[in-house]
Amino acid sequence: MKKAKNKSRDYSRIKIGLVLALCFVFWGGLWARAVQVQILRGEELAEQASRQYFSQEKILGKRGEIFDREGRVLAQSVRSKSIYANPFMMDNIPASSARLAGILDADPGSIQARLDRKSSFVWLDRKVSDRVAHQVSSADIPGVFIMDEHSRVYPQKHLLGQVLGFVGMDNTGLEGLERSLDDRLSGAEMVMIMQRDASGQRFNLLPRQPDGQVDGQDIHLTIDSRMQFYVEQALADAVEDNDARSGIAMVVHVPTGDILAWANYPFFNPNNFRSSTPDIWRNRGATDLIEPGSTLKPFLVAAALEENVARGDSLYYCEQGLWRLGRNQIKDVREYGWLTVNRILRYSSNICAAKIGLDMGPGTLHQYLVNLGLDQPTGVQVPGQTSGLLRPPHTWRDMDLATISFGQGMATSFLQLARAFTILGNHGVFTDLNILQDQSSPVSSGQRIISREVSRDVLAMMRDSVERDGTGTRARISGIEVGGKTGTAQKASPSGGYSDKYVASFAGFLPAMDPEYMIMVLVDEPTRPFYGGLVAAPAFQRIGGRILASEQGLGLRRLVLESSGEAQGASTSDGSRFSIVPRQDVEMDTSHVPDLRGIPLRLAVENLLKAGIEPTLQGRGVMVRDQDPGPGSSWSNQQKQITLKLCSES
């Protein structure tokens, strides 16, 4: 019995030993596996786990919005949905590709090719409609997700289209102000850490915020949207009525250089930039070179007066319309004989302008053109500005000097020429143009290019070009004194020399002698007639009339009547910069109804109120078009009531 018990005890010990041995082997295996997983393959497996359960996505903050000077939205960013996938989390890529193709209206092979890439993040479609996003969400395809992005929208459609430009799919500015101001408009980069559960559903979102503001900066322009609408409308009519190729127009606030309107035609809608071409979305006013033609003559005359080469009453012989200079001929539209300098500008004689330039010399004229900035880009923050084409004066022959004197043989941009006229309108003080409201300033650089006296002399000549018998009579606006200069430039031919195509232009001031607005219109390649006075000047008249008829146009200043027969400048009693056409004061005979037709509204109202008569106004405008009762009739009652009917548009 004792032997059996001993043998039983020995067997038990063996069992225990085996169990302990198995435990040691098991735990040893676990420790070995742990060493392999944690130490030998730790980094590799941790990276795989991170890819499976976490993903980092770089998302930009909301792009800044663009407003006009009154706070109206010109460009804004709105939330939209984008579709992406993680192919590593998809069970059946071919089947998923087919389902997604039906929803996204895409080719299944193209979608599958993207999903076959060795990447944990693949874009499937971006900035889709809410309907498509809902269909994708309802399909509940493993590994397919929806993300919020921002889309750029231009609520005013083609208004200011070429100037604003557009952005690409990643909200990066590609053209216009969107491109040149991209650093300010773009949102900061944000890294989003997405955490998912075993089924791939996102249950946590950890933003890793960058320093500073995430959203982009808002931009306020000097543009007035209502004025922009008037300008675009008038420009479109000018181009279409003359069967022209394109057109540009601009309105500048002379004292500050602020651009209030800048139109390009044909119009361009940034919302649909993919359906347009670079020829349409290019901002021609900044990028294209033009030969200014006769619009350069005011600066020629200003330089001649400044250098005492000529006076306003100096006489030049205009050769009866045809002058031979060496082997070349210079022609005028009309056959003029002797003309004074002020009439040379009024009638736009090329021959006499050439003679003034020859008297001045190439070095002097070149220096004035440089001082006016015709060889340098403006300060307007739009991309692609040209520097102009102005050869060194030592290369000018006599014929070169002659043609440059009347605006041919050199080239500048529309924007540079607008700046030069703004300088002239600001009495010769250099004033750069500006389109950003936070850079607007009531004072210019202070550098004087032309003396105040000479500037006023030239402005008076430009006034006579419109208000008397000059080339700009179609720019007249009833009730206000207008000054301006027409331009008709022959276009260079690609094969050399000049073609039979023209650029018609007009640049003018409101009012003439102390300008508040500078308006410039250019029409490219009009069919006959192609003269600036017939093509561009009427567009100026429409734009100026609409501005003055608007509440803003009347609200900025006070109308002043000059009764002496000669304009003496603007009233200074209230800081006004506005004047009207000289006109004799109205003697009010209260025994009968006076004739107030064609009289400025303010003058008519002031005279009626002096006589104790309170008028009733119908319509909007600055001039009295008609009246009731008619002139000369008897008053219907003792209260002497009268209704004034106004011009809605000059």
Side-chain angles (χ1 to χ4, degrees), residues 250 252 413-422 433 518 520:
M250 180 177 289
V252 177
S413 72
F414 182 92
L415 201 55
Q416 289 171 308
L417 192 60
R419 176 175 61 183
F421 273 103
T422 302
L433 302 183
M518 192 286 298
M520 194 160 77

Side-chain angles (χ1 to χ4, degrees), residues 355-429:
K355 290 186 175 184
I356 294 174
L358 290 169
D359 286 348
M360 193 183 324
T364 303
L365 179 58
H366 180 273
Q367 188 59 53
Y368 273 91
L369 298 181
V370 169
N371 292 344
L372 288 164
L374 295 179
D375 67 332
Q376 294 294 328
T378 70
V380 181
Q381 291 188 329
V382 293
Q385 285 196 59
T386 181
S387 297
L389 183 60
L390 187 63
R391 293 182 289 121
H394 67 268
T395 64
W396 296 7
R397 298 174 299 170
D398 284 348
M399 189 60 188
D400 295 326
L401 177 55
T403 56
I404 290 174
S405 297
F406 54 81
Q408 302 267 191
M410 55 87 67
T412 183
S413 72
F414 182 92
L415 201 55
Q416 289 171 308
L417 192 60
R419 176 175 61 183
F421 273 103
T422 302
I423 295 171
L424 180 62
N426 213 14
H427 302 295
V429 177

Side-chain angles (χ1 to χ4, degrees), residues 96 99-100 103 131-142 144 146:
S96 298
R99 294 181 64 188
L100 288 167
I103 298 174
R131 179 183 61 83
V132 171
H134 177 71
Q135 289 178 345
V136 172
S137 178
S138 299
D140 196 21
I141 303 173
V144 177
I146 300 175

